[in-house]
């Protein structure tokens, strides 16, 4: 009886609910950490220079071949499954056999750069120190042996001297590639921007009836100056391209087939089997930095994702700048000025319901209203000289940010209203009693004290908006943007340009990539980076919120 009463008292005390809540929170935290750990291991492991394996692959009743590549995955599969796949598997033997996935590269020589092989048919596995990996700007990796290095078609190094000569010439090509990038993207880009500006200026003067001989002469002189600059750069480009394609190498794959490759198509060359742990660690961070700072290549399955990082952060910041004042003003009106009645309650219900509208609906609205209606009107009013080519009447950074702001504004309104409701009425009355107007009370007392709640709404808005993908596919995000929306050309921030986004990049690489196996590690790495970017933005807002909370704690007490 005593035990029964103590058990009843324990339930009445609420302790079971506390323990259940703590257990649920613990499970959620463990699952979140576990998910992030899986993403981190699978994504970050992609940048480690894996050893290359060379082995004889002897399929029964077929001619054997040499397999060279990175072992990616290994699994045990039923013998019957291999047999049903058309492999010449004997009827007798163990129930399970080993199946291994190798990245064999050499896409220009092989039909596929990822192959599944039967582990029991591999013999004589070794890791030769002179096996090399060539990372190329196209056609993926090449795995094989270095035969010689050529300059202008003439062999300049072979044997043991070939590898140092190759590394020196790759560094030379890398410097030339940087100079080519600067000339093509920045210098020529600035000239093209100037020529386009002159064209639009002439068209605008023509529409206004002010295209006289003096204006034409001024524009002709400026255009001639741009043409002269372009000819100088063009001559420099011709020389760089000739120097860029001067060197080449001869490589041999595992089966003895030789191929000549221009060093202009090689990003880096390394021999992973000959690298020590510290060398591999340095290589790892070099690859990781390339992933964060370089442009993508090979249909987004190679290179870096810096344009996607930049686009995500830029769009989120613009969205935050737009959504905060509108959300705060709406909340202030509903809480401080609007008469509390059926209409106000109906507006609050509508705001709450907006938070549950599917994101793709916002995308369709953004495309129809922002892009076609608002953007088309802006083009007709302010950019008639560019028509029929659209300026703002096409998806771009501004419309993507506005669409996300529209999606996130209900969150800011609700959070700000809750913050305003928590401020004691006595503070308002005291301020008014001292002679302050209602606007002064609101601006100097109420809003500063409600600022932590505003930051909470902004944090929630950023967390939701930064990870959205569906609406962005309609209003400004593309697979590959030719340039960043921020550059040295006036007006410097180009809100009409399309951008890349980490969320869309994950979708594109994971589901639209022509090479699924090569894209899989990048999906994990990009997903981890997207989580980190959102966390960094949120932590920045949390830091500001905590600072404001401490600043106005005395007034709250």
């Amino acid at each position: 009886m005593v035990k029964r009463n103590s058990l009843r008292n324990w339930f009445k005390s609420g302790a079971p609910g506390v323990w259940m809540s703590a257990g649920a929170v613990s499970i959620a935290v463990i699952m979140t950490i576990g998910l992030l750990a899986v993403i981190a291991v699978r994504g970050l492991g992609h940048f480690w220079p894996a050893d290359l394996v060379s082995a004889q692959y002897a399929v029964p009743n077929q001619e054997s071949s040499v397999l060279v590549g990175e072992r990616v995955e290994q699994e045990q599969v039923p013998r019957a499954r291999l047999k049903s796949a058309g492999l010449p598997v004997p009827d007798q033997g163990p129930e399970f056999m080993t199946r291994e996935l190798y990245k064999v590269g050499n896409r220009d020589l092989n039909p596929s750069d990822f192959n599944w092989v039967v582990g029991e048919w591999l013999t004589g596995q070794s890791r030769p120190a002179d096996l090399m990996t060539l990372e190329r700007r196209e056609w993926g990796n090449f795995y094989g042996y270095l035969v010689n290095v050529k300059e202008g078609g003439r062999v300049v190094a072979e044997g043991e001297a070939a590898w140092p000569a190759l590394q020196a010439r790759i560094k030379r090509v890398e410097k030339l590639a940087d100079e080519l990038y600067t000339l093509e993207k920045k210098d020529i880009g600035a000239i093209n921007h100037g020529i386009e500006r002159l064209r639009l200026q002439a068209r605008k003067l023509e529409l206004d009836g002010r295209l006289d001989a003096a204006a034409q002469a001024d524009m002709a002189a400026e255009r001639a100056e741009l043409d002269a600059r372009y000819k100088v750069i063009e001559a420099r480009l011709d020389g760089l391209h000739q120097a860029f394609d001067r060197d080449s190498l001869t490589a041999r794959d595992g089966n003895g087939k030789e191929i000549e490759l221009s060093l202009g198509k090689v990003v880096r060359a390394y021999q992973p089997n000959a690298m020590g742990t510290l060398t591999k660690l340095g290589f790892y961070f070099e690859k990781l930095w390339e992933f964060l700072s370089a442009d993508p290549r090979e249909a987004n399955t190679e290179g870096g994702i810096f344009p996607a990082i930049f686009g995500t952060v830029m769009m989120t910041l613009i969205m935050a700048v737009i959504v905060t004042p509108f959300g705060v003003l709406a909340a202030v009106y509903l809480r401080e000025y609007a008469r509390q009645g059926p209409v106000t309650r109906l507006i609050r219900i509508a705001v709450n319901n907006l938070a549950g509208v599917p994101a793709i609906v916002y995308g369709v609205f953004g495309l129809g209203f922002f892009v076609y209606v608002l953007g088309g009107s802006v083009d007709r009013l302010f950019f008639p000289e560019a028509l029929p080519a659209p300026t703002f009447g096409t998806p771009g950074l501004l419309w993507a940010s506005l669409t996300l702001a529209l999606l996130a504004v209900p969150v800011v309104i609700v959070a700000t209203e809750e913050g305003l409701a928590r401020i004691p009425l006595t503070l308002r009355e005291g301020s008014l009693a001292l002679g302050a107007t209602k606007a002064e009370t609101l601006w100097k007392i109420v809003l500063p004290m409600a600022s932590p709640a505003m930051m909470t709404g902004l944090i929630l808005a950023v967390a939701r908006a930064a990870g959205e993908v569906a609406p962005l596919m309609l209003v400004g995000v593309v697979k590959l943007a030719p340039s960043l929306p921020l550059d040295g050309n006036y007006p410097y921030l180009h809100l009409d340009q399309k951008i890349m986004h980490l969320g869309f990049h994950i979708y594109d690489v994971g589901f639209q990539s022509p090479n699924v196996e090569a894209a899989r590690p990048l999906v994990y790495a990009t997903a981890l980076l997207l989580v980190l970017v959102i966390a960094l933005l949120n932590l920045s807002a949390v830091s500001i919120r905590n600072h404001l909370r401490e600043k106005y704690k005395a007034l709250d007490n």
Side-chain angles (χ1 to χ4, degrees):
M1 187 69 180
V2 175
K3 290 183 178 180
R4 185 179 300 174
N5 290 334
S6 62
L7 187 61
R8 186 181 297 114
N9 292 334
W10 183 66
F11 274 101
K12 288 182 178 180
S13 67
V18 174
W19 282 100
M20 289 177 63
S21 300
V25 171
S26 300
I27 292 173
V29 170
I30 292 172
M31 291 176 64
T32 302
I33 294 176
L35 176 62
L36 292 177
V38 170
I39 293 175
V41 170
R42 296 201 173 194
L44 298 180
H46 169 68
F47 306 107
W48 186 262
D51 288 346
L52 295 178
V53 176
S54 176
Q56 287 286 337
Y57 187 53
V59 181
N61 303 323
Q62 295 183 18
E63 185 179 353
S64 65
S65 61
V66 177
L67 175 72
V68 174
E70 304 175 13
R71 188 168 70 178
V72 178
E73 192 177 328
Q74 181 177 339
E75 63 182 8
Q76 297 291 320
V77 296
R79 176 182 292 268
R81 179 179 170 186
L82 295 177
K83 192 171 184 178
S84 63
L87 295 176
V89 179
D91 295 331
Q92 304 299 323
E95 182 181 355
F96 289 90
M97 298 182 69
T98 304
R99 192 173 74 151
E100 300 178 3
L101 177 64
Y102 277 84
K103 183 178 181 180
V104 297
N106 305 9
R107 199 181 304 163
D108 43 351
L109 301 178
N110 302 323
S112 175
D113 56 351
F114 281 85
N115 284 343
W116 284 100
V117 298
V118 179
E120 285 77 4
W121 297 344
L122 288 174
T123 59
Q125 296 191 33
S126 63
R127 289 176 170 80
D130 56 343
L131 263 179
M132 69 172 180
T133 299
L134 294 178
E135 289 187 19
R136 299 184 286 181
R137 303 182 193 279
E138 55 186 24
W139 295 104
N141 290 354
F142 181 90
Y143 301 122
Y145 301 89
L146 179 62
V147 178
N148 58 49
V149 178
K150 297 181 179 180
E151 178 181 326
R154 179 176 58 87
V155 176
V156 295
E158 56 185 349
E160 295 183 357
W163 186 253
L166 175 63
Q167 294 299 321
R169 290 169 187 269
I170 286 179
K171 290 181 180 179
R172 169 186 167 276
V173 169
E174 185 179 353
K175 293 180 181 179
L176 292 175
D178 293 339
E179 190 172 352
L180 280 170
Y181 179 85
T182 302
L183 289 175
E184 292 176 349
K185 292 291 185 178
K186 295 182 179 180
D187 297 348
I188 293 183
I191 292 175
N192 290 335
H193 182 269
I195 292 175
E196 179 65 13
R197 177 179 55 81
L198 288 176
R199 186 188 71 82
L200 295 177
Q201 182 181 351
R203 176 61 178 163
K204 186 174 183 179
L205 291 174
E206 182 182 357
L207 292 175
D208 295 341
R210 295 186 290 114
L211 187 60
D212 53 17
Q216 290 181 353
D218 291 340
M219 286 186 289
E222 191 172 351
R223 188 177 294 108
E225 181 183 352
L226 292 173
D227 290 338
R229 285 171 52 193
Y230 178 77
K231 289 180 180 178
V232 173
I233 295 176
E234 186 180 29
R236 177 61 180 157
L237 280 175
D238 291 339
L240 286 175
H241 279 297
Q242 292 178 6
F244 192 69
D245 296 328
R246 184 194 71 181
D247 300 330
S248 62
L249 64 89
T250 303
R252 184 178 68 251
D253 69 355
N255 292 295
K257 186 174 182 179
E258 293 189 355
I259 182 174
E260 184 171 342
L261 302 172
S262 170
L263 289 190
K265 298 180 180 179
V266 177
V267 178
R268 62 171 58 87
Y270 59 96
Q271 294 174 327
N273 297 343
M275 297 167 67
T277 303
L278 292 179
T279 308
K280 285 189 174 184
L281 194 61
F283 181 90
Y284 175 82
F285 285 109
E286 179 186 343
K287 286 280 292 181
L288 189 60
W289 174 247
E290 180 194 44
F291 177 69
L292 297 175
S293 61
D295 291 344
R297 61 178 190 270
E298 282 287 309
N300 290 343
T301 59
E302 299 286 346
I305 57 170
F306 176 74
I309 299 173
F310 187 90
T312 303
V313 174
M314 180 65 69
M315 184 186 62
T316 305
L317 292 178
I318 294 176
M319 180 275 300
V321 170
I322 295 172
V323 75
T324 303
F326 280 98
V328 170
L329 287 175
V332 167
Y333 174 77
L334 290 174
R335 176 59 58 179
E336 302 291 332
Y337 289 98
R339 180 179 298 176
Q340 304 303 313
V343 176
T344 307
R345 287 196 295 271
L346 184 62
I347 292 174
R348 287 196 177 95
I349 292 173
V351 168
N352 292 329
N353 288 338
L354 280 175
V357 173
I360 190 64
V361 176
Y362 286 98
V364 174
F365 175 81
L367 180 65
F369 178 72
F370 289 139
V371 177
Y372 294 149
V373 176
L374 192 57
S377 301
V378 168
D379 283 353
R380 287 190 295 272
L381 290 174
F382 300 103
F383 303 98
E385 65 276 7
L387 294 175
T391 303
F392 282 94
T394 184
L397 172 60
L398 177 61
W399 307 133
S401 302
L402 279 174
T403 302
L404 286 185
L406 192 65
L407 181 146
V409 73
V411 180
V412 178
I413 293 174
V414 172
T416 305
E417 264 209 275
E418 291 178 355
L420 293 171
R422 286 198 299 266
I423 298 174
L425 185 62
T426 54
L427 289 176
R428 295 178 173 85
E429 294 174 346
S431 175
L432 295 173
L434 291 173
T437 63
K438 186 171 183 179
E440 291 174 335
T441 300
L442 182 67
W443 183 255
K444 296 184 178 180
I445 302 296
V446 177
L447 286 181
M449 294 185 64
S451 55
M454 299 177 197
M455 295 305 301
T456 300
L458 181 60
I459 292 168
L460 296 174
V462 168
R464 182 182 180 189
E468 287 291 348
V469 178
L472 302 180
M473 297 167 63
L474 301 175
V475 291
V477 170
V478 292
K479 174 186 177 73
L480 184 63
S483 59
L484 296 178
L486 185 67
D487 57 26
N489 300 320
Y490 182 83
Y492 310 118
L493 179 60
H494 305 279
L495 296 175
D496 57 309
Q497 284 192 9
K498 295 176 175 59
I499 59 170
M500 295 181 67
H501 186 271
L502 287 172
F504 183 75
H505 187 82
I506 294 171
Y507 163 76
D508 176 68
V509 173
F511 298 98
Q512 303 294 317
S513 173
N515 196 338
V516 178
E517 296 293 346
R520 186 184 304 169
L522 290 179
V523 171
Y524 287 111
T526 309
L528 177 64
L529 185 60
L530 177 59
V531 172
L532 293 178
V533 168
I534 296 174
L536 182 61
L537 292 171
N538 285 342
L539 287 176
S540 301
V542 167
S543 176
I544 297 174
R545 181 187 65 183
N546 292 340
H547 172 73
L548 294 173
R549 187 172 289 167
E550 291 295 327
K551 182 178 180 180
Y552 297 108
K553 183 182 293 184
L555 287 175
D556 198 18
N557 292 334

